Amino acid sequence: MFDYNFHWRPVLKSLPDLIEAGMVTLQVAVLAMACGIVIGLGLALIRLHMRGPLRWFASAWVELARNTPALFQLFFFGFGLGAFGWHLSPYTIVLAGLTFNCAGYLAENFRGGFQAVPDTQIRAARSLGMTSVQTYLRIVIPQVLRIVYHPITNQMVWAVLMSSLGMMVGFRELSGETQFFASRSFRIFEYFAVTAVIYYAIVKIILGASRLMALRLFRY
Amino acid sequence: MIEIRDLHKKFGALHVLKGIDLEVQKGEVLSVIGASGSGKSTLLYCINGLEPIHQGRVVVDGTDVHAKGTDVNKLRQKLGMVFQQWNSFPHLTVLENVALAPRIVRGLSMAEARDVAAKQLGHVGLGDKLNSYPNALSGGQQQRLAIARALAMEPDYMLFDEATSALDPELVGEVLDTMRLLAEEGMTMICVTHEMGFARDVSDRVAFFHQGTMEEIGPPAQIFGDAQSEHTRRFLANVR
Ligand SMILES: Nc1ncnc2c1ncn2[C@@H]1O[C@H](COP(=O)(O)OP(=O)(O)OP(=O)(O)O)[C@@H](O)[C@H]1O
Ligand SMILES: [Mg+2]
């Protein structure tokens, strides 16, 4: 017999706290993405243009980030470094773990993007007297950004959802906060149902904003 | 003047240019014809330094293109190039495509660069497309855009690498007309082409390339009417 009684009141009372935790989630995801984009771009360029140790390092990064569970990556920055006596705050652990993961995935997206810009574009730019740096900044990278725009948006959504792993290392982002309240009140289902709605809203806002920005950025 | 002396170019083991000697005078229009793989495109890339060479010299107005201290970016401003794949920059409007290099390479102000660009685009008949993006243009229009983009650097020489061979047949004419116009205005041009009509009517000289050597060079009347080389005659018999 189904005799669970729903109690929404405690959830609604802590809604402001949950929304605040949602902001923490969004903040850490945005920061991780910002760092991830810069690092991912660097990793992609290294893998495309360099040989030797730096390239091995970049390849190892990409391989590990993409082929091991994101949770283990967080644990590495938490318990792994902790074992060596290097204790990071939960916030830093999540930021570092997410950045590591996002940079790895984005590096592959960027690499594909660079390969999708035809060499003839570079030749044409160089034939006009542009330097290789000018060619990259003015011709190649703008086209790459267009190619990786949707993958970046997807990665941003992933970063938000993935940050929920933060609760495993004691970080009070949206999921951690929810668990905290839920375990205090035992209204576990209600809390996580409401939190799911908040995640959903955050993701929808990101997708909508991304679509609006694309309209402004890409006129072609 | 462009002077080429004993030019050799290899791709790995493949010997693509085997000792080319050639001079192109100011104001001259030279057409380069020959079978696929004979090294025509490579010759152009060696002239503006997009490809390194293995032996010999290319001298443009007294500057050795491949010498160590040469500022190739500066030199390339003299040498406009138009490619077979028209290579419009897809993320820039037609006007921006043309104005970009004058601004960042020649150092013109934004307003000056736009004036130069608008003037050259008018010249090639794209004056009404300034704010379109390249993907809204036909192949012929994009190739004229590429010509305007090269002209906006105010080059002394124009290198055309099969500017019409990727175009639908009905669009070839408009691009050839633009090239004719340039020739009439006295531009120095080296045109790699499969358009024998153009080579015959517009050029001062025609060079025939065969397997990495310049087999024969002369006025169109000689090449098309009285070719000395068996290879030239056979090539021309096949394309006509
Ligand atoms: N980047 C490269 N690497 C290796 N080989 C090349 C490269 N570019 C050209 N080649 C080879 O050099 C030879 C000459 O090429 P090139 O493009 O100059 O010929 P072409 O006369 O322009 O022919 P087409 O009429 O097909 O354009 C060809 O055998 C080609 O395969
Ligand atoms: Mg060619």
Side-chain angles (χ1 to χ4, degrees), chain A residues 118 120-132 134 138-140 142-143 219-220, chain B residues 45 50-51 73 76 79 83 85 87-91 100-101 103-105 133 135 149 153:
Chain A
T120 53
Q121 287 276 312
I122 297 175
R123 294 212 141 184
R126 297 306 303 273
S127 80
L128 291 165
M130 291 187 212
T131 63
S132 53
Q134 287 174 328
R138 305 285 188 159
I139 305 300
V140 179
Q143 294 185 51
R219 301 279 171 81
Y220 63 101
Chain B
Y45 293 147
L50 282 174
E51 285 287 354
N73 294 321
R76 284 177 189 148
L79 295 159
F83 300 81
Q85 315 86 346
N87 292 330
S88 341
F89 302 136
H91 59 299
L100 178 62
R103 193 155 58 77
I104 69 174
V105 178
Y133 280 88
N135 65 5
R149 193 170 68 183
M153 298 305 287

Side-chain angles (χ1 to χ4, degrees), chain B residues 27-43:
Chain B
E28 188 180 4
V29 177
L30 172 73
S31 288
V32 177
I33 61 175
S36 181
S38 56
K40 309 178 300 290
S41 301
T42 306
L43 174 75

Side-chain angles (χ1 to χ4, degrees), chain A residues 52-195:
Chain A
L54 213 52
R55 184 188 178 146
W56 303 332
F57 170 79
S59 297
W61 184 321
V62 172
E63 288 294 315
L64 286 174
R66 290 166 52 93
N67 300 310
T68 61
L71 181 60
F72 292 13
Q73 296 166 25
L74 275 196
F75 280 177
F76 171 79
F77 287 100
F79 311 123
L81 292 184
F84 292 99
W86 198 15
H87 297 282
L88 305 177
S89 72
Y91 184 90
T92 316
I93 294 170
V94 174
L95 182 57
L98 283 187
T99 299
F100 177 80
N101 185 275
C102 290
Y105 275 92
L106 291 171
E108 277 304 83
N109 291 325
F110 278 122
R111 195 161 78 129
F114 280 110
Q115 283 168 340
V117 177
D119 277 353
T120 53
Q121 287 276 312
I122 297 175
R123 294 212 141 184
R126 297 306 303 273
S127 80
L128 291 165
M130 291 187 212
T131 63
S132 53
V133 173
Q134 287 174 328
T135 302
Y136 255 83
L137 292 180
R138 305 285 188 159
I139 305 300
V140 179
I141 291 188
Q143 294 185 51
V144 170
L145 286 183
R146 162 88 192 242
I147 296 168
V148 302
Y149 187 79
H150 288 298
I152 285 182
T153 303
N154 289 340
Q155 191 66 32
M156 178 69 216
V157 169
W158 265 114
V160 167
L161 300 181
M162 218 160 32
S163 69
S164 65
L165 296 173
M167 75 179 184
M168 309 297 286
V169 293
F171 182 38
R172 295 269 290 271
E173 39 62 69
L174 183 51
S175 298
E177 191 77 353
T178 306
Q179 170 150 26
F180 170 76
F181 283 120
S183 57
R184 240 182 20 179
S185 67
F186 299 108
R187 309 311 319 174
I188 296 176
F189 174 80
E190 289 89 332
Y191 267 104
F192 278 96
V194 167
T195 298

